[in-house]
Amino acid sequence: MELIFEKSREGRALSILPACDVEIVMPKECRAEAPKLPQLSENDLSRHYTQLMKRTFGVNDGFYPLGSCTMKYNPKINELTAALPGFAGVHPLQEEDTVQGCLTAMKTAEKYLCEITGMDAMTMQPAAGAHGELTGLLLIKAYHEDRGDARRTKIIVPDSAHGTNPASAAMAGFEVVNIPSGEDGCVDLQKLREVCGQDTAGLMLTNPNTVGLFDKNILEITRIVHEAGGLCYYDGANLNAVVGIVRPGDMGFDVIHLNLHKTFSTPHGGGGPGSGPVGCKQLLVDFLPAPYVAEGETLRFEQPEKSIGKVKEFYGNFLVMVKALTYVMMLGREGIPEVAKHAVLNANYMMEGLKDIYKMAYDERCMHEFVMDLSPLKHKTGVSAMDVAKGLLDLGIHPPTMYFPLIVHEALMVEPTETESKETLDAAVAAFRKLYDMACEEPGTLHEAPVSAAVRRLDELSAARNPRINYYAAQASSSKAKAKKEEAR
Ligand SMILES: *Cc1c(COP(=O)(O)O)cnc(C)c1O
């Protein structure tokens, strides 16, 4: 498919304004040359993007069970409320008394999300989950420093954690201490006790963890960390399994982030905008980023007393927060626990339908997702987790998360989400079973998959190790390589 720049023809630009008939005065901030925008008719422009759309796969195309990503259906009413002129048309520099409605939406969202998570206050500033992690860790750092406790330089992270956890801890200037999971996929309490000490700043954990299990020792875990003087950080990116049922605050966590673009239904996967608000208990409130919406006679922005400062310009991705608020208000107190119950039910339903042939990494009831271990299948047939994932593409299903978590070999991590029907789940189970049979009967076919997608199997290793991200340079070097091959012939 040609790039839109290659389809461009000089003089074919869309022009909806009449030609300018007054002298053009360019302020000195303007660029000297006009940008080289592609020139296409409206018809060609529309076709270009429709073609692109047909070459991708999204939640609206079909089942998308990408583990640890919560690719659920995002209600369209969210978009309607976020597009209301009173929300979409405000300017971030408007005076506070002209945007009391927006501030009320922010404060209401904060209150609901605090109630759902068991926190005392929340900042809406961070733009994504990893950004929230960094913010939360900076709160922990500020807390220890404020107490004059500068020895606390280590953050404990279990080996099953999402990759962003150790990365964020390192970025916040902490040393990362990894602890292995036990046989059961949960935190090894003995190991935790061994690494906790006077240098412990805190622990980062997600529960249910990234193998889809709820750690039954959670109260003991947070107690051990608190007794050592550390704080507990909860990675709440995927809150689906527990939302409205149990609260991280009640499990003993002091600070959390949420991914509004996962659990609270903003479309994601295309690169944003996202939102990763950070909630905290009272002991961290004074350190929250500025500005924070404070209540008084009217709502206004305040700088918390010992604020860590700003982590993003203005107030965060406000319209994503409006979508989350819409979602929470649409579901209400009765609907939210139903989300969790269905997320867990759907995952267990699929797992039960597959576990007689696919080996489950942990053979117990899962939460919102489950992890399969395809090493026995690979051993028997040579067909890998990658082959099965690519085979799903030919059956109209987006592959699950592959080779994660790292503690399971040949892992496929399936998260169906609460928004799928029984029929869709049955069809997905049938697809997985069909691929298992194919692996046994004609393994060669699966090494070739996908055959019906827009592109065949990509060289992922070279793409990661030696990325060529300039289209023209990549084209030039591939035509050079082609010429060389011809010559050799
Ligand atoms: C998605 C995810 C993150 C990171 O969120 P981003 O918005 O992609 O930065 C962190 N932790 C867990 C468990 C996640 O699933």
Side-chain angles (χ1 to χ4, degrees):
M1 192 177 152
E2 274 183 317
L3 292 186
I4 194 162
F5 290 95
E6 292 167 323
K7 288 180 183 164
S8 170
R9 292 293 175 272
E10 194 61 33
R12 213 173 274 174
L14 288 171
S15 155
I16 51 175
L17 294 177
C20 185
D21 59 0
V22 293
E23 191 198 344
I24 298 175
V25 181
M26 299 285 262
K28 67 175 187 330
E29 290 82 8
C30 282
R31 54 163 93 205
E33 253 175 75
K36 291 193 177 58
L37 298 177
Q39 303 197 17
L40 272 79
S41 73
E42 186 169 331
N43 190 12
D44 290 337
L45 191 63
S46 170
R47 282 183 188 155
H48 177 76
Y49 285 105
T50 305
Q51 269 177 16
L52 269 183
M53 186 195 79
K54 285 181 179 166
R55 290 164 68 93
T56 60
F57 189 100
V59 173
N60 291 324
D61 291 294
F63 191 46
Y64 203 136
L66 198 61
S68 196
C69 282
T70 310
M71 302 301 284
K72 64 164 82 173
Y73 173 74
N74 304 296
K76 298 293 178 266
I77 190 171
N78 296 355
E79 306 297 329
L80 291 178
T81 45
L84 290 174
F87 289 139
V90 290
H91 192 281
L93 291 175
Q94 257 172 264
E95 293 294 332
E96 284 141 316
D97 56 5
T98 68
V99 288
Q100 287 293 305
C102 293
L103 295 187
T104 304
M106 282 180 85
K107 200 69 200 169
T108 310
E110 179 191 353
K111 282 184 176 165
Y112 287 162
L113 294 175
C114 278
E115 185 174 340
I116 288 169
T117 53
M119 293 289 136
D120 295 320
M122 195 171 278
T123 172
M124 298 293 167
Q125 264 192 33
H131 195 192
E133 290 171 24
L134 176 65
T135 306
L137 288 160
L138 291 177
L139 295 180
I140 293 179
K141 196 170 199 189
Y143 168 82
H144 290 308
E145 280 172 5
D146 186 57
R147 288 160 41 98
D149 200 354
R151 305 165 291 181
R152 300 194 176 270
T153 54
K154 293 184 179 165
I155 291 283
I156 303 166
V157 182
D159 60 0
S160 67
H162 195 271
T164 50
N165 290 189
S168 301
M171 202 163 173
F174 289 109
E175 194 181 318
V176 178
V177 180
N178 252 299
I179 51 166
S181 307
E183 280 286 290
D184 57 357
C186 294
V187 171
D188 184 332
L189 290 179
Q190 193 47 43
K191 288 268 156 45
L192 179 64
R193 283 195 194 94
E194 280 166 24
V195 298
C196 272
Q198 299 198 332
D199 54 1
T200 301
L203 164 85
M204 284 183 99
L205 202 69
T206 179
N207 190 32
N209 60 21
T210 36
V211 296
L213 304 176
F214 189 92
D215 204 313
K216 295 170 205 70
N217 300 318
I218 193 62
L219 291 174
E220 181 66 9
I221 292 168
T222 51
R223 199 175 59 84
I224 292 171
V225 176
H226 283 148
E227 277 179 0
L231 297 183
C232 297
Y233 183 99
Y234 182 89
D235 178 341
N238 315 100
L239 205 69
N240 278 40
V242 295
V243 65
I245 307 280
V246 289
R247 311 192 309 167
D250 299 335
M251 298 180 207
F253 288 93
D254 306 291
V255 52
I256 75 157
H257 83 263
L258 298 172
N259 276 27
L260 299 189
H261 50 288
K262 286 180 183 168
T263 312
F264 295 93
S265 78
T266 274
H268 65 288
S275 176
V278 169
C280 65
K281 292 270 183 72
Q282 200 58 47
L283 78 172
L284 294 172
V285 168
D286 286 345
F287 303 102
L288 281 173
Y292 175 75
V293 181
E295 284 178 303
E297 226 161 87
T298 56
L299 293 169
R300 63 192 187 286
F301 287 123
E302 262 186 11
Q303 166 129 358
E305 208 179 309
K306 302 169 185 168
S307 174
I308 59 166
K310 260 182 187 303
V311 296
K312 190 182 187 306
E313 72 280 15
F314 299 115
Y315 326 108
N317 284 326
F318 173 67
L319 295 177
V320 177
M321 191 219 71
V322 172
K323 291 181 203 181
L325 177 61
T326 308
Y327 180 73
V328 169
M329 292 179 82
M330 287 295 292
L331 287 169
R333 201 173 278 278
E334 295 78 35
I336 287 179
E338 289 298 313
V339 167
K341 288 178 193 169
H342 282 87
V344 173
L345 178 64
N346 284 0
N348 279 283
Y349 181 75
M350 269 196 79
M351 186 172 86
E352 285 299 316
L354 293 173
K355 74 179 193 188
D356 59 323
I357 51 175
Y358 285 99
K359 179 177 180 237
M360 295 299 152
Y362 301 94
D363 189 16
E364 55 183 288
R365 193 171 300 168
C366 66
M367 297 300 285
H368 60 303
E369 59 195 358
F370 60 92
V371 181
M372 306 198 287
D373 173 358
L374 272 72
S375 44
L377 181 69
K378 186 173 180 190
H379 189 73
K380 189 171 132 191
T381 67
V383 167
S384 65
M386 171 81 83
D387 294 332
V388 170
K390 298 294 180 194
L392 282 167
L393 282 169
D394 285 330
L395 300 177
I397 291 178
H398 192 283
T401 295
M402 302 182 287
Y403 299 102
F404 180 81
L406 303 175
I407 52 177
V408 177
H409 298 294
E410 292 298 320
L412 282 184
M413 183 192 213
V414 181
E415 180 186 4
T417 82
E418 72 279 7
T419 54
E420 297 298 340
S421 67
K422 180 172 178 298
E423 290 73 24
T424 302
L425 299 177
D426 286 337
V429 167
F432 272 103
R433 297 188 73 94
K434 180 174 174 181
L435 292 172
Y436 188 92
D437 290 342
M438 277 170 77
C440 298
E441 287 154 20
E442 36 171 336
T445 317
L446 279 179
H447 296 317
E448 295 298 314
V451 294
S452 64
V455 287
R456 298 290 301 275
R457 207 172 289 204
L458 301 172
D459 181 357
E460 293 177 13
L461 193 67
S462 306
R465 294 256 164 95
N466 184 22
R468 276 180 282 159
I469 46 183
N470 180 314
Y471 176 78
Y472 294 107
Q475 273 222 322
S477 85
S478 86
S479 59
K480 225 191 243 166
K482 232 187 238 162
K484 237 188 200 166
K485 244 190 212 161
E486 291 283 312
E487 216 174 277
R489 227 182 259 158

